[in-house]
Amino acid sequence: MKLFGTSGIRMKNLSPEIAYNVGFAIAKNYKNVVIGRDSRTTGELIESAIITGLLNGGATVSKLGIVPTPVLGFASKKYDAGIMITASHNPPEYNGIKLFNSDGTAFLEEQEHLIESIIENKEYERTNWSKIGKVVEDKYSIMEYCKYLVDSINSRITEKHNVLVDCSNAAACELSPYLFTEVGCKVISVNSHFDGRFVGRMPEPNEKNLTETMDMIKGLNKIPHKDYIAIAHDGDADRMIAIDEKGRITDFDKLLTAYARFIVETTDTNTIITTIDASIALDEYVNANTKGKKVEIVRTKVGDVAVSNKIKELTKNGENIQFGGEPSGTWIHSGIHMTPDGILSGLRLLEMMEHFNKKLCDIMDEIPSYINMREKIPCDDNCKSEAMKLVVKEGKNIFNCVPNTLDGARFDIVDKDAWVLLRPSGTEPYVRIRVEAKDKKIAEELFNKSKELLDKIIT
């Protein structure tokens, strides 16, 4: 049995039976739990099932209602654990469960394995009727989160920015437009009423889903001196993607690279945490633009759990870690709090623009563009492990180098200024191909070799 992927549990038509079992298993070790959900139509069903399991195991439950994941993570510090019901960027027929520790970080893999083991071996502990816990409303954590963010960021943003906020009818609908307004922005909000069918756009903030939002920015910026940008969230608002003043979606890697430089220039940190799928432009650009300051780029497995775990590990060893982020837009601002936070990321993007005293489009255009090619190859979950063994074995000869197997297999072809990452998805039945090179012909050659290898292995 395997319920958890790289970002908790995500399933199409997630059943209340699974949710009940997860709640029952959590209650064995966590007796004071806070729970939140995004706007999906199955949210209340899954919430009710989890709460039933928690109560049966003797836990007391505090409900937040519909909230962004960062609110749930922030609130978790008052409890033994936090439970967020969300499938993030997945379509509306999906739902999921993500678990949080009391420091705001997601459960580690070993913690998730323990939950799975309790369920698989039916090691539940039903409480006596006289010790059944209560269900209460947490009425204060949302206000505390908002105040904390405004207090943390307000003095850093001094200009009046024009921002369009696209919430995808999901968890950020109430809080994101409010918080951008609170720090002094002029805000236009779209898709900002709760609707679990995601009627405005699907929750994955990509170019296909954001076409109308991009057009809005182009239209708004025909008015002289407006310079609107857009901040678009995914389903649970633990990440964001920006649209610049020209109506272009900002490249994920470029945005991460620019922000990493900003953090290095404005804090005492010498270390940026990112994932194995981040661009080589991050290493090159940051170190070329920090006035002789040597910056170490530390890579982890894909997933905010791996990033936050590395931040905690290095912080415990005495290093000053202020930021860790994935190219997907999932960023952890560890100098402020430890939960990935798309609203905070959007606010700090404005701070970055002020620091560089440039429009977002100009900041993005300064960062080098390399050739990137991506594809998802269908692969059943039960075939992924064997497929990756063959990728490592045969890929050595195909790419003429030994892969980094931290997460999947990354082949760094140094003499061609290129790399290939073949990695099984932790949330979907695919193996992902990512190729980056400075030369288009080399990128296409490596991409074709990658596809041929996977087509041969996955039948």
Side-chain angles (χ1 to χ4, degrees):
M1 180 191 69
K2 183 167 175 58
L3 295 174
F4 291 89
T6 54
S7 191
I9 297 170
R10 285 186 200 164
M11 293 181 185
K12 185 184 287 189
N13 301 317
L14 176 65
S15 74
E17 290 81 7
I18 289 174
Y20 168 81
N21 287 335
V22 170
F24 203 177
I26 290 168
K28 183 172 182 179
N29 295 304
Y30 304 92
K31 298 300 184 184
N32 188 18
V33 178
V34 62
I35 190 165
R37 56 187 171 87
D38 67 18
S39 62
R40 292 168 192 272
T41 58
T42 57
E44 287 185 286
L45 170 66
I46 299 304
E47 179 186 63
S48 297
I50 293 175
I51 289 174
T52 302
L54 288 165
L55 294 177
N56 205 20
T60 292
V61 184
S62 296
K63 294 170 62 175
L64 292 171
I66 298 177
V67 292
T69 286
V71 174
L72 185 280
F74 181 83
S76 295
K77 64 185 179 182
K78 298 187 293 187
Y79 300 90
D80 297 334
I83 303 172
M84 184 66 192
I85 300 166
T86 180
S88 188
H89 61 272
N90 290 75
E93 64 269 24
Y94 283 77
N95 214 332
I97 303 167
K98 191 166 183 178
L99 308 179
F100 287 83
N101 293 298
S102 57
D103 63 356
T105 61
F107 267 31
L108 298 172
E109 197 171 326
E110 52 264 35
Q111 292 176 288
E112 294 174 337
H113 285 168
L114 179 58
I115 298 297
E116 289 184 346
S117 176
I118 292 170
I119 295 171
E120 189 168 16
N121 298 310
K122 294 183 169 42
E123 296 171 346
Y124 310 109
E125 294 180 1
R126 186 176 185 184
T127 195
N128 182 276
W129 66 269
S130 63
K131 296 180 180 178
I132 294 289
K134 296 180 180 179
V135 180
V136 298
E137 302 289 332
D138 182 332
K139 299 179 180 179
Y140 301 104
S141 287
I142 295 174
M143 292 184 290
E144 290 168 359
Y145 166 83
C146 290
K147 184 178 185 306
Y148 182 77
L149 247 61
V150 171
D151 289 347
S152 298
I153 207 79
N154 201 22
S155 62
R156 306 182 192 211
I157 299 174
T158 58
E159 298 178 13
K160 189 174 181 67
H161 297 270
N162 295 321
V163 182
L164 186 151
V165 181
D166 184 338
C167 300
S168 184
N169 307 115
C173 284
E174 292 181 345
L175 294 191
S176 191
Y178 166 76
L179 285 166
F180 276 93
T181 303
E182 279 296 290
V183 299
C185 298
K186 181 178 179 182
V187 176
I188 296 173
S189 59
V190 297
N191 301 321
S192 290
H193 63 281
F194 293 130
D195 193 315
R197 300 165 296 177
F198 308 125
V199 292
R201 68 164 172 87
M202 287 294 104
E204 172 70 10
N206 57 26
E207 189 161 359
K208 176 184 175 183
N209 294 333
L210 290 170
T211 301
E212 291 182 357
T213 311
M214 293 159 67
D215 288 341
M216 289 179 204
I217 291 295
K218 292 173 186 174
L220 285 166
N221 287 335
K222 288 179 180 178
I223 305 169
H225 313 299
K226 286 301 180 183
D227 293 331
Y228 270 90
I229 66 166
I231 301 296
H233 296 296
D234 61 340
D236 64 332
D238 67 344
R239 63 189 179 108
M240 65 89 194
I241 189 64
I243 298 171
D244 70 18
E245 297 86 350
K246 295 180 180 179
R248 305 175 303 183
I249 284 192
T250 53
D251 179 271
F252 284 107
D253 281 294
K254 283 189 174 187
L255 198 62
L256 175 64
T257 298
Y259 189 79
R261 177 188 171 187
F262 161 71
I263 287 294
V264 170
E265 289 188 1
T266 56
T267 70
D268 294 331
T269 191
N270 294 315
T271 306
I272 296 293
I273 313 299
T274 190
T275 47
I276 196 168
D277 59 338
S279 171
I280 52 178
L282 175 60
D283 307 68
E284 296 177 353
Y285 179 82
V286 171
N287 276 294
N289 289 278
T290 49
K291 300 174 183 177
K293 190 177 183 180
K294 177 62 178 173
V295 180
E296 183 181 10
I297 308 297
V298 177
R299 283 178 165 78
T300 72
K301 289 182 176 182
V302 172
D304 63 273
V305 178
V307 173
S308 63
N309 193 39
K310 181 58 70 173
I311 291 172
K312 289 199 292 185
E313 175 191 321
L314 295 181
T315 301
K316 191 179 291 185
N317 292 337
E319 294 193 41
N320 176 22
I321 309 297
Q322 292 290 317
F323 173 72
E326 299 185 83
S328 65
T330 309
W331 294 358
I332 299 173
H333 306 269
S334 46
I336 297 178
H337 74 119
M338 286 293 292
T339 305
D341 191 331
I343 301 173
L344 177 57
S345 295
L347 293 170
R348 298 213 70 186
L349 199 65
L350 305 179
E351 185 188 353
M352 179 191 78
M353 291 164 59
E354 290 188 19
H355 171 74
F356 291 127
N357 194 27
K358 294 177 181 176
K359 294 181 181 181
L360 183 58
C361 59
D362 294 332
I363 296 171
M364 294 296 99
D365 287 343
E366 287 181 359
I367 299 172
S369 293
Y370 300 146
I371 307 301
N372 277 274
M373 303 182 72
R374 295 175 173 87
E375 191 161 327
K376 299 189 297 185
I377 306 299
C379 180
D380 290 340
D381 289 337
N382 58 3
C383 297
K384 288 177 180 176
S385 178
E386 190 60 34
M388 291 312 301
K389 288 178 184 176
L390 292 172
V391 164
V392 171
K393 181 180 177 181
E394 299 190 22
K396 292 177 184 177
N397 297 323
I398 293 171
F399 301 112
N400 198 29
C401 65
V402 177
N404 179 338
T405 56
L406 175 67
D407 190 359
R410 173 167 165 153
F411 300 88
D412 288 288
I413 303 102
V414 178
D415 60 329
K416 294 185 176 181
D417 281 331
W419 57 274
V420 172
L421 178 64
L422 304 176
R423 187 184 69 84
S425 170
T427 58
E428 298 175 292
Y430 296 102
V431 172
R432 300 181 186 275
I433 300 173
R434 167 84 186 271
V435 173
E436 183 177 58
K438 295 182 179 180
D439 181 86
K440 183 178 180 181
K441 186 176 179 181
I442 289 173
E444 290 173 347
E445 174 192 335
L446 294 173
F447 182 75
N448 290 333
K449 285 183 178 181
S450 301
K451 283 197 69 176
E452 287 170 9
L453 173 59
L454 289 179
D455 286 343
K456 175 183 173 185
I457 290 170
I458 303 170
T459 55

